[in-house]
Amino acid sequence: MSKQSRTEPPVKWWQNSVVYQIYPRSFMDSNGDGIGDLPGILSKLDYLRELGVDVLWISPIYMSPKADNGYDISDYVRIMPEFGTVEDFDRLVNTAHQKGLKIVMDLVVNHTSDEHSWFEKSRASKDSPYREYYIWQEGKDEGPPNNWRSNFSGSAWKYDETAGLYYLHLFHQKQPELNWECAALRQEVYDIMEWWLQRGIDGFRMDVINYIGKDPGYPDGPMGPDGLGDFSAFAVNQPQSHRYLQEMREQVLAKYDILTVGETPFATVADAIQYASKDEKELNMVFQFEHVELDYAQDKSKWSDSSVPLDALKHTMNKWQTGLHEKAWNSLYWGNHDQPRPVSRMGNDSDPFFWEKSAKMLATCLYMMQGTPYVYQGEEIGMTNFPFKSIDQFHDVESINAYYDYTKNRGITPETMLIWMRSKSRDNARSPMQWTSGKNAGFTIGEPWFAINPNYNRINTEAQSKDENSIYHFYRRLFRLRKQVGIITHGDFALHQPEHPQVFSYLRQHAGQTLWVACNFSQHQQSIQPPHLPKGAWNFLLGNYLSKEENQTVLPLELKSYEAVVFLHNALGEP
Ligand code: GLC
Ligand code: CA
């Protein structure tokens, strides 16, 4: 195993850090009110340190009426009391820093809550300086200004009696879009960022940051079967978004050595190269969405029970890995608070053996690629989708709105919609973290705000920390390997045997070394040819069948159910 050699380019700290996402409501409750909180996170810092992560990204903890679980913010510089106080926050940052962990905050500035004081002042008077903080328009033909559909169903415009105008909301009607054309608004955002940076935070994850620039003509989008139009060609990845991000970098980001990651739905490789270029004009990296939309329905709606086709997954990952190499920087994720659980979505949670093997296989497949790894809470123990039985068990506004829209307006039966929601709803990721096999999985001593997944008896951190062969320990080994083997950070990427129907295999090459990763996405045995390389020595680095003591020397041509293997090849004459 090579240490970093002199030929390797210098690495930024955020390029070889592992980021762990915390959804605070569902992470750990310290005071028995059933809601996770900041002291709860504090009490788990040692667990996170042990796991081998470097950075914690904390989903919103600001004041919020909770129309979208905190992504609707009514005060950016106050912490919602149910999460704790600003003293709790400072203590969390300081203690995290002492333990070598960094803290990244969620910056949600494409929209606010309609209960933010800016919006209240904006709607109240046309002479208020706040009027232009939001996007207000006259209606057209007794209806909204254009046909855009909100991401959370229905029109993206809402008529406001007080203002006598429509305002734009690409998400919930309680999430009015901010008007980034307004220089005073942009300055407010930069001040808020400074406020948090002064408290010592280490970066921002920027919510739908590629929505901030809008086509000023607000044209109708291509119409769907529901009579509403798709806004994405006019409100996403516009040149204005790049301008605003460049200004944000000059005004704020350039002064700090922090991690910035933009959430950018619909971004292409070309867009990402602009957002996350190596010369750091805008952001460090983005979250692209192509690989988490491969199981969408034909009409591009997420609601369906289709599964992810492996050939498309390989094609997409290959496109991003090769497309950004040496130009920009990838983020690596399967899941987050908006996605169903990866092991249920792309692995196999139907049986404990397949569950364990496929969770490890998926982690290997992703985390041996180039980019910064992200882990969403619970993935490291293979948490699964939730067995929803009825609509009353859902909390997520997107899911609930879609249920009524599809069953009332689109002729889908409630039974079908429930099946689709069970596989795709964001709520799958939001059931509480499973810590122990005790009451409420150790998440709370009170009544949890969201039901505990009934499989907590089998799937919890306590059991897995004790078991060397658990998914949890496998994640630890993967993260350690990333730190020890430079090629995982530096190597290029090429698919190997791309036409194989069940195996995702790829090569990473750098300075005379080759990393070979082969992952069987099926429950049946599969044959795979080793790559043809110049004479050299193969070393087995990791696999989900062999224990770490067994040093495999013969290359496997037969991969067992969901088997994943990682080998390192050194060409002769190389160290
Ligand atoms: C992002 C968040 C999601 C939220 C939406 C609106 O996509 O990840 O949870 O609903 O933005 O803020
Ligand atoms: Ca609490």
Side-chain angles (χ1 to χ4, degrees), residues 75-87:
D75 190 336
Y76 288 99
V77 293
R78 276 181 62 205
I79 287 169
M80 187 142 58
E82 63 193 33
F83 290 133
T85 61
V86 79
E87 289 74 36

Side-chain angles (χ1 to χ4, degrees), residues 28-37 82-83:
M28 179 65 199
D29 175 23
S30 71
N31 62 352
D33 66 357
I35 297 170
D37 46 45
E82 63 193 33
F83 290 133

